[in-house]
Amino acid sequence: MAVPPASPSLPPSRTARSRPETVPLPRDAGPDGGITPAARETPPEEGGGRGAPPRGPAPGPAPSRAERQDLRPRLTELRLSAFAGHRGAGFPLGPCTLFAGPSGSGKTTALRAYEALARLGGGAGLYDVFPDPPSCVPERARPDVQGRRGFRIGCTADGPQGPVRLDVAVQAEPELRVVGERLSADGVVLLQTALRDPGRPVVHAAWHTAGSAPVTRAPLPDDRLGTALLPLRVAGRTDGQRRVLAAVEQMVVALRSVFPCDPWPGRMREPVPNGSGRLLPGCDNLADVLWRTRAECGLRHARFVAAARAGCAGPVLDVLAEPDGRGTVRALLDRGAGSRTELGRLGDGELRYLALALVLLTGPGVLDVDPPGEVPDAMRALTVLADGFDRSLDPRQRTELVRLAVRTSEQGHIRCVGAVGDASWAAGVPGVTVVHLDR
């Protein structure tokens, strides 16, 4: 059967109406969290997948003193157990992480999985997150007797509750659905789901209660991440329920605060409508956002001008935007002595450098993201996903940009995960975590 196409008429959620049932957790719950054979593919080779270390927990970078004192939820590991070209892979994530490797090594795939987890954590449906599900299935994965194949991804979020692990198994063929999910902390399974009846659009969920019964069971829809839905089902009356809610909040906050960014210089050269709002992932409306940030925060703008001076050719006294009288805004570099250069005259490398620098120096109030509004800004760490981090940049620009990423990450509010072809130039920069991938 072909994978059903994404459709705008698809209902936002298929919520089960059954009442929760409180029963003990089964003793034979396996390490896959009840994941069905639809997602159990051929075992990964010894040594893991592309660029993966040997199987087992990834050690991860040693946390800095600032990180040990920081209670902001943040992802510290990305796991691609079976996703596209990766098998048995675990990647550590630091405040500034660069995935490095040749074309085809899986750098973009890793960032794609990160973004998918972020969107699932924000409550998005599977059909929106995975428009082409078969492309996520490992190429050598064999279907079972019913023709089912799938993929597995996961992550670890650190924060006030300590490390919290999330692992998700998704069936891609013949129908896209979640078939297993596990959220755990300190060796305790806080949430576990499994597909029991393929004929129903639900998974059976069990979550930690620690009340009169250790576990509560109820069906959840199979087209959403159960972790994102659980706060709607858990009252928080017992210590166990409150522990579940705290772990879920830490994971969801860490996942939702993500901004995928890939500036397109060609779109940044033209004047843009005034008042377009937040900076888009392609930085198309860079001129309008410059108009806003220059007026709202003089300190950040001064830092941005200093970054522009370090990465652009020729003198730079200021970076400004001005309306042209037709409802649009254009951006310019002030060269001094009355000389100005429109951003449209700059090269691709300078435009990408300026766009990424602006992203790193701003935050959720400026970027087009949907952060959890119930969490104060001081308790959130925004992660910028930059595919092609070094694209079109010369050695000076990429070094200045990664140093800027390290400086902003030290403050705790901005983290950066980028993909580069070669990271030898960043090996000596303190605070950078380099993940080397091979074909």
Side-chain angles (χ1 to χ4, degrees), residues 7 16 78 86 119 125 152 176 179 187 222 236 257-258 318 329 342 351 395 427 438:
S7 170
L78 175 67
H86 294 283
R119 296 185 63 190
R152 299 194 301 274
L176 184 64
V179 294
D222 67 351
S257 302
V258 169
D318 197 1
V329 181
E342 293 188 21
L351 287 174
D438 299 320

Side-chain angles (χ1 to χ4, degrees), residues 101-434:
S103 178
S105 60
K107 306 184 298 294
T108 299
T109 300
L111 267 63
R112 175 186 171 196
Y114 195 128
E115 182 182 358
L117 285 168
R119 296 185 63 190
L120 290 173
L126 287 179
Y127 282 91
D128 295 326
V129 177
F130 303 107
D132 184 18
S135 68
C136 303
V137 180
E139 191 172 357
R140 290 172 291 172
R142 296 192 298 267
D144 63 8
V145 294
Q146 295 179 328
R148 300 178 298 180
R149 298 196 307 160
F151 53 91
R152 299 194 301 274
I153 56 178
C155 60
T156 299
D158 210 342
Q161 305 303 314
V164 177
R165 292 173 56 96
L166 172 67
D167 294 284
V168 186
V170 178
Q171 175 185 296
E173 298 172 341
E175 180 184 5
L176 184 64
R177 63 198 310 182
V178 174
V179 294
E181 179 179 349
R182 169 170 283 197
L183 184 76
S184 61
D186 295 329
V188 177
V189 177
L190 303 177
L191 168 67
Q192 179 173 277
T193 71
L195 180 65
R196 304 293 187 194
D197 184 357
R200 299 182 60 202
V202 297
V203 291
H204 290 261
W207 58 85
H208 188 61
T209 305
S212 56
V215 168
T216 298
R217 287 186 176 274
L220 292 177
D222 67 351
D223 61 344
R224 293 288 191 277
L225 190 68
T227 297
L229 298 175
L230 208 59
L232 303 176
R233 308 296 295 269
V234 179
R237 294 192 180 94
T238 68
D239 290 340
Q241 289 179 342
R242 288 188 286 271
R243 182 181 182 185
V244 171
L245 289 175
V248 166
E249 177 181 303
Q250 177 169 300
M251 179 61 69
V252 169
V253 170
L255 286 175
R256 285 184 60 181
S257 302
V258 169
F259 181 67
C261 179
D262 188 6
W264 287 76
R267 301 175 183 174
M268 297 158 56
R269 290 191 165 91
E270 300 297 327
V272 296
N274 189 8
S276 55
R278 297 181 174 182
L279 187 64
L280 302 174
C283 300
D284 310 24
N285 58 337
L286 177 71
D288 182 54
V289 175
L290 279 174
W291 170 271
R292 172 186 172 187
T293 56
R294 191 172 189 270
E296 292 183 356
C297 186
L299 179 59
R300 287 187 180 181
H301 183 74
R303 292 174 179 170
F304 176 68
V305 172
R309 189 176 300 120
C312 292
V316 177
L317 271 64
D318 197 1
V319 186
L320 61 154
E322 62 180 20
D324 58 8
R326 295 175 293 181
T328 57
V329 181
R330 61 173 184 166
L332 310 101
L333 295 183
D334 186 351
R335 302 293 194 178
S339 175
R340 293 181 174 182
T341 302
E342 293 188 21
L343 258 62
R345 292 180 175 271
L346 302 182
D348 287 2
E350 289 178 306
L351 287 174
R352 281 186 58 84
Y353 172 86
L354 289 174
L356 290 171
L358 182 63
V359 168
L360 292 171
L361 287 169
T362 54
V366 177
L367 306 179
D368 187 22
V369 295
D370 182 25
E374 65 278 6
V375 181
D377 289 346
M379 292 302 296
R380 296 200 300 261
L382 177 69
T383 299
V384 176
L385 297 182
D387 194 11
F389 182 87
D390 59 346
R391 188 186 309 139
S392 302
L393 303 185
D394 62 29
R396 178 188 58 159
Q397 290 169 334
R398 65 191 185 190
T399 302
E400 289 292 340
L401 196 59
V402 80
R403 286 175 177 168
L404 178 61
V406 170
R407 289 197 299 271
T408 55
S409 67
E410 288 174 348
Q411 300 173 3
H413 292 286
I414 298 287
R415 296 167 68 86
C416 181
V417 179
V420 299
D422 175 27
S424 58
W425 53 272
V429 180
V432 178
T433 301
V434 178

